[in-house]
C-alpha cells in the first residue's frame, strides 16, 4: 500500500515538474531608443514604435510616461524655435546678397532663438532618455522576482521526504 501511494505521489510530482518546464515567463520587453539625424526612433521587441505607441506602452509606469510626454513637448518647441531662428537669420543674409540694406536685428533675434532651441533640444533628449530608462528599470523590477520553489525528494535516516527550496 505504501509503495503504491509513493508511486502515485512521484508520478504527480513528475507530471507537475514536466508541465512547469513548458511555462514561458511573461517578461515585458524593454524599449530601446536611438537618436538619429532626423529624430528619435524607438524599438520594442524589434518593432519600431511611433510617439503614440510609445506613450501607450509606457502608460503603466507613471514617472516614465510623464518624462516622455514632457520631452516630446520640449522637442516640438525646439523644432519650432529652430525653424523660426533659421528663418530670421536667413532674411538678413538674403537681403545682403541682394545688395539691400540688411536688418541685422533679425539675425540677432534668430540667433537667440537658435540657442533656445539648442537648449530645449538637449532637455528633451535628457527627459526622453530618462523616461525610457525608468520604464526599463521598472519593467525589470517587476519581472525579476518570481516565486519559483524547487522540490526535491530526499532520503535520510528518517525515511523518504519531500523538500522545498525557495
Amino acid at each position: 500500500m505504501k509503495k503504491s501511494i509513493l508511486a502515485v505521489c512521484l508520478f504527480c510530482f513528475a507530471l507537475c515538474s514536466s508541465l512547469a518546464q513548458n511555462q514561458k515567463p511573461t517578461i515585458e520587453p524593454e524599449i530601446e531608443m536611438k537618436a538619429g539625424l532626423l529624430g528619435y526612433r524607438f524599438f520594442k521587441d524589434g518593432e519600431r514604435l511611433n510617439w503614440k505607441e510609445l506613450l501607450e506602452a509606457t502608460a503603466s509606469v507613471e514617472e516614465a510616461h510623464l518624462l516622455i510626454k514632457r520631452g516630446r513637448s520640449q522637442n516640438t518647441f525646439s523644432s519650432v524655435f529652430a525653424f523660426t531662428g533659421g528663418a530670421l537669420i536667413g532674411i538678413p543674409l538674403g537681403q545682403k546678397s541682394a545688395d539691400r540694406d540688411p536688418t541685422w536685428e533679425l539675425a540677432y533675434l534668430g540667433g537667440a532663438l537658435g540657442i533656445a532651441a539648442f537648449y530645449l533640444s538637449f532637455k528633451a533628449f535628457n527627459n526622453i532618455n530618462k523616461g525610457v530608462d525608468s520604464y526599463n528599470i521598472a519593467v525589470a523590477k517587476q519581472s525579476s522576482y518570481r516565486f519559483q520553489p524547487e522540490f526535491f525528494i530526499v532520503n535520510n535516516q528518517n525515511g523518504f521526504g519531500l523538500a522545498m527550496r525557495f
Side-chain angles (χ1 to χ4, degrees), residues 26 44 47 62 71 75 77 90 92 95-96 107 119 124 127 130 157:
T26 57
K44 183 175 182 180
E47 293 185 24
E62 187 67 28
N75 190 34
F77 281 119
Q95 290 173 342
K96 183 69 173 171
Y119 173 74
N127 282 333
K130 285 179 188 175
Q157 68 271 12

Side-chain angles (χ1 to χ4, degrees), residues 67-94:
L67 282 170
I68 290 172
K69 280 176 62 173
R70 185 180 307 141
R72 181 181 178 189
S73 65
Q74 288 171 341
N75 190 34
T76 303
F77 281 119
S78 170
S79 298
V80 170
F81 285 173
F83 178 78
T84 308
L88 290 176
I89 291 172
I91 290 172
L93 294 178

Side-chain angles (χ1 to χ4, degrees), residues 14 54 69 79 91 93 119 132 145 150 158 160 163 165:
L54 176 69
K69 280 176 62 173
S79 298
I91 290 172
L93 294 178
Y119 173 74
V132 169
Y145 177 73
E150 297 175 357
N158 295 329
F160 285 105
R165 184 185 314 166

Side-chain angles (χ1 to χ4, degrees), residues 112-128:
L113 282 176
I115 291 172
F118 197 68
Y119 173 74
L120 275 176
S121 177
F122 276 123
K123 286 202 53 113
F125 175 78
N126 287 337
N127 282 333
I128 294 169

Side-chain angles (χ1 to χ4, degrees), residues 149-166:
E150 297 175 357
F151 293 98
F152 299 98
I153 296 176
V154 294
N155 182 14
N156 57 20
Q157 68 271 12
N158 295 329
F160 285 105
L162 186 64
M164 179 175 76
R165 184 185 314 166
F166 53 92

